């Protein structure tokens, strides 16, 4: 499955309004995290998330809008992952606005490769951290924690207001001094 996965910027040369049509956003959630007394607490709250064909086309339009820096994971010409960044920094943080890996491609290191790619990009832009308003699903938070993200000490109020059940997370970017 992961023989030829390539992470690269999405643009009109490799991405169209139909590029998300075969993307499988499905996620079955059993447990979610909530913040109680400053700590992450796991709660049972089963639900499923999926994207309709219309939502997939909306996502493709968002990617093509030019409002985001978008990297996609491609298996040949098929989009199997997307990560969208806001181009402007917020308190020296680069915001991940959207990040998904298609269901059949999860668990194969694609998400890790995508985070590494955008970390390098954010570093090049002078960011000190990556910021994400994360779905509170147990598996989603476990992934972000494995990548080094932690609950944000300074959440962005608009994200808290717009997604009150999301967990606001940050990943500090370590700037290494230049060495030859």
């Amino acid at each position: 499955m992961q023989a030829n996965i390539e992470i690269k910027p999405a643009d009109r040369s490799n991405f169209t309004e139909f590029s998300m049509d075969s993307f499988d956003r499905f996620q079955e959630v059993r447990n979610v995290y909530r913040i109680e007394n400053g700590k992450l607490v796991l709660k049972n709250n089963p639900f499923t998330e999926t994207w309709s064909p219309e939502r997939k086309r909306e996502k493709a339009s968002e990617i093509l809008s030019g409002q985001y820096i978008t990297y996609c994971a491609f298996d040949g010409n098929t989009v199997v992952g997307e990560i969208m960044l806001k181009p402007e920094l917020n308190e020296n943080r680069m915001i991940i606005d959207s990040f998904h890996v298609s269901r059949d491609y999860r668990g194969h290191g694609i998400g890790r490769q995508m985070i590494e790619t955008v970390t390098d990009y954010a570093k090049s832009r002078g960011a000190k951290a990556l910021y994400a308003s994360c779905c509170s699903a147990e598996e989603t938070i476990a992934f972000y924690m494995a990548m080094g993200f932690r609950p944000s000490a300074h959440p962005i109020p608009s994200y808290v207001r717009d997604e009150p059940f999301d967990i606001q997370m940050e990943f500090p970017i370590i700037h290494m001094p230049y060495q030859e």
Side-chain angles (χ1 to χ4, degrees):
M1 174 180 306
Q2 192 184 338
N4 285 324
I5 300 299
E6 198 177 357
I7 314 291
K8 56 189 176 184
D11 59 37
R12 293 192 181 276
S13 72
N14 60 16
F15 192 92
T16 72
E17 65 184 291
F18 309 108
S19 291
M20 298 299 288
D21 285 2
S22 64
F23 194 89
D24 188 358
R25 168 60 187 97
F26 184 84
Q27 181 178 5
E28 186 172 354
V29 175
R30 297 201 191 297
N31 298 308
V32 298
Y33 280 100
R34 296 293 182 251
I35 296 181
E36 294 180 1
N37 300 318
K39 295 185 180 182
L40 289 175
V41 177
L42 201 56
K43 304 274 189 174
N44 183 262
N45 185 24
F47 66 94
T48 57
E49 282 199 42
T50 191
W51 284 348
S52 67
E54 295 79 21
R55 179 64 187 121
K56 292 176 188 181
R57 294 283 172 91
E58 287 172 12
K59 180 57 72 176
S61 291
E62 291 168 15
I63 290 169
L64 289 168
S65 72
Q67 296 178 44
Y68 302 93
I69 309 302
T70 303
Y71 287 85
C72 286
F74 291 89
D75 183 357
N77 292 323
T78 303
V79 174
V80 300
E82 59 83 12
I83 189 163
M84 299 166 64
L85 305 170
K86 296 261 188 165
E88 65 282 343
L89 297 182
N90 179 300
E91 296 180 11
N92 293 315
R93 301 176 288 189
M94 182 147 278
I95 299 170
I96 298 171
D97 191 73
S98 177
F99 177 34
H100 300 92
V101 175
S102 193
R103 178 172 34 174
D104 291 342
Y105 288 83
R106 295 179 197 146
H108 298 282
I110 296 168
R112 176 176 295 280
Q113 290 175 13
M114 295 181 81
I115 291 291
E116 289 170 356
T117 298
V118 299
T119 297
D120 289 343
Y121 175 79
K123 236 189 247 190
S124 77
R125 294 281 314 276
K128 304 288 187 225
L130 289 175
Y131 181 94
S133 180
C134 303
C135 169
S136 60
E138 181 177 17
E139 303 81 7
T140 301
I141 299 305
F143 167 80
Y144 277 97
M145 296 284 272
M147 295 297 100
F149 283 75
R150 296 295 176 261
S152 177
H154 304 285
I156 299 171
S158 62
Y159 283 90
V160 174
R161 183 184 61 248
D162 293 346
E163 295 289 348
F165 294 116
D166 277 9
I167 305 299
Q168 306 303 310
M169 301 188 81
E170 281 190 44
F171 170 70
I173 298 172
I174 299 168
H175 290 272
M176 301 301 288
Y178 178 76
Q179 298 178 2
E180 285 191 30

